[in-house]
């Protein structure tokens, strides 16, 4: 069982930055692909970014490409999401996910979420 704990959310003005962290309890963290998803009020959960097991490949939703960066530190069992140039439409609860592959992340493990609010 892998437990994921997100942190780093908060309130920020438009144009600002935040860095989210997701710490995993599992020592074999490096065997999982990791990703970030978000859910805004009244909307479905959507994909934000993902990173492969080794960190060699990253993927982003078009809406965040060029503004967000996903990275991981396997020695610390942690994945990060650096969010720059934040917009009010980025406001959502952000969740991290872990799975054997990027394609199966949503069937794996989820964190409890962290709120990000961007004011205009």
């Amino acid at each position: 069982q892998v437990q994921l704990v997100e942190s780093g959310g908060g309130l920020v003005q438009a144009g600002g930055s935040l860095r989210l962290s997701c710490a995993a309890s599992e020592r074999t963290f490096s065997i999982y692909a990791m990703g970030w998803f978000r859910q805004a009020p009244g909307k479905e959960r959507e994909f934000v970014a993902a990173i492969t097991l080794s960190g060699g490949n990253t993927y982003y939703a078009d809406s965040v490409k060029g503004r967000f960066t996903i990275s991981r530190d396997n020695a610390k069992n942690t994945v990060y999401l650096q969010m720059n140039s934040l917009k009010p439409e980025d406001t959502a609860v952000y969740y991290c996910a872990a799975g054997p592959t990027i394609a199966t992340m949503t069937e794996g493990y989820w964190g409890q979420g962290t709120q990000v609010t961007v004011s205009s």
Side-chain angles (χ1 to χ4, degrees), residues 10 13 33 35 42-43 46 50-51 56 63 68 71 73 75 79-80 87 90 92-93 98-100 109-111:
Q13 288 188 331
K43 295 187 176 181
E46 64 175 4
I51 189 166
S63 59
F68 290 11
S71 62
D73 185 339
V79 63
Y80 304 97
K87 304 174 181 180
D90 294 318
V93 177
Y109 303 98
W110 290 91

Side-chain angles (χ1 to χ4, degrees), residues 6-108:
E6 300 100 333
S7 61
L11 173 64
V12 64
Q13 288 188 331
S17 299
L18 283 174
R19 189 176 82 153
L20 305 183
S21 300
C22 174
S25 63
E26 179 61 51
R27 288 183 181 179
T28 54
F29 171 79
S30 62
I31 70 171
Y32 294 102
M34 301 292 297
W36 289 94
F37 293 76
R38 67 187 181 186
Q39 187 166 20
K43 295 187 176 181
E44 294 187 353
R45 190 172 298 188
E46 64 175 4
F47 168 77
V48 175
I51 189 166
T52 51
L53 303 170
S54 64
N57 290 293
T58 56
Y59 304 88
Y60 298 93
D62 287 343
S63 59
V64 307
K65 203 171 292 183
R67 300 188 297 122
F68 290 11
T69 302
I70 188 171
S71 62
R72 66 191 295 164
D73 185 339
N74 288 344
K76 295 183 178 180
N77 292 353
T78 302
V79 63
Y80 304 97
L81 185 68
Q82 177 66 43
M83 305 186 294
N84 298 329
S85 302
L86 282 161
K87 304 174 181 180
E89 50 264 43
D90 294 318
T91 295
V93 177
Y94 283 70
Y95 300 89
C96 71
T101 67
I102 288 180
T104 59
M105 267 191 311
T106 57
E107 302 169 17

